[in-house]
């Protein structure tokens, strides 16, 4: 069994590794996110993504792509720390850090069979839906209802700290 650190690969390393899995007939699922402060919703999303195939690859947003998405003061944790936390989860096979605003380039490079998105999306609102369709990648909406977020968790911590 690989250590969490061994699961974190560069895009180039991952492309090569995934070819080995494809030759064994394994289906690949790509999930992605910032995972700034890992919470139960993240774990359920990734477990749901893993259930869609044989192998789960998780794209973790680089620090440079989190700031425009999440705003000032984010990310709380560095990209290396967030990648390590995600890689530590048993359901995750590989992690790659990406700096683009969405995972279209990762979909094109990795060619998973499934692109898993959380329940805050619908099939119509997935940003990469056209790229996925063009590449023949099935989009799956997975995880539990979006009734928790890192933003809400941080706000609760602020209230308690200043309360």
């Amino acid at each position: 069994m690989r250590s969490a650190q061994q699961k974190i690969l560069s895009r180039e390393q991952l492309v090569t590794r995934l070819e080995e899995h494809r030759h064994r007939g394994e289906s690949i699922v790509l999930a992605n996110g910032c995972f700034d402060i890992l919470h139960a919703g993240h774990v359920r999303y990734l477990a749901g993504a893993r259930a869609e195939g044989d192998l789960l690859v998780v794209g973790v947003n680089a620090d440079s792509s989190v700031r425009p998405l999440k705003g000032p003061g984010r990310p709380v944790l560095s990209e290396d720390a967030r990648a390590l936390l995600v890689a530590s989860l048993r359901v995750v096979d590989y992690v790659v850090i990406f700096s683009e605003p969405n995972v279209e380039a990762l979909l094109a490079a990795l060619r998973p069979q499934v692109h898993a998105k959380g329940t805050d999306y619908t099939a119509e609102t997935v940003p990469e839906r056209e790229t996925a369709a063009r590449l023949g990648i099935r989009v799956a909406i997975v995880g539990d209802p979006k009734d928790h977020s890192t933003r809400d968790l941080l706000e609760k911590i602020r209230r308690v700290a200043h309360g």
Side-chain angles (χ1 to χ4, degrees), residues 11-120:
R11 189 173 307 196
E12 296 74 24
Q13 291 170 317
L14 189 53
V15 167
T16 301
R17 188 72 53 88
L18 292 181
E19 281 306 314
E20 298 167 12
H21 289 284
R22 275 191 197 85
H23 287 323
R24 291 195 292 265
E26 296 171 312
S27 62
I28 300 161
V29 180
L30 175 68
N32 69 283
C34 298
F35 306 101
D36 198 6
I37 295 180
L38 202 58
H39 57 68
H42 291 136
V43 172
R44 291 180 189 123
Y45 161 56
L46 294 174
R50 179 64 172 77
E52 295 291 325
D54 299 316
L55 198 74
L56 178 58
V57 175
V58 181
V60 172
N61 288 77
D63 292 348
S64 62
S65 67
V66 173
R67 288 182 195 105
L69 289 170
K70 302 296 182 178
R74 302 283 299 276
V76 173
L77 300 175
S78 72
E79 61 193 48
D80 292 334
R82 292 182 286 114
L84 185 62
L85 285 170
V86 170
S88 296
L89 298 173
R90 183 175 299 158
V91 298
V92 175
D93 295 289
Y94 297 106
V95 172
V96 61
I97 297 171
F98 70 99
S99 58
E100 296 88 355
N102 62 46
V103 291
E104 289 178 339
L106 269 184
L107 289 171
L110 303 179
R111 302 288 179 124
Q113 283 78 17
V114 182
H115 177 38
K117 296 297 273 190
T119 57
D120 46 335

Side-chain angles (χ1 to χ4, degrees), residues 121-161:
Y121 292 95
T122 65
E124 297 76 33
T125 63
V126 170
E128 306 86 3
R129 70 188 175 284
E130 290 177 13
T131 299
R134 181 174 48 78
L135 296 171
I137 299 167
R138 179 173 63 86
V139 173
I141 306 300
V142 301
D144 61 352
K146 181 77 176 191
D147 58 4
H148 35 62
S149 71
T150 300
R151 180 173 288 127
D152 292 344
L153 181 58
L154 288 171
E155 185 55 38
K156 184 176 181 178
I157 292 168
R158 285 185 195 100
R159 281 195 310 270
V160 169

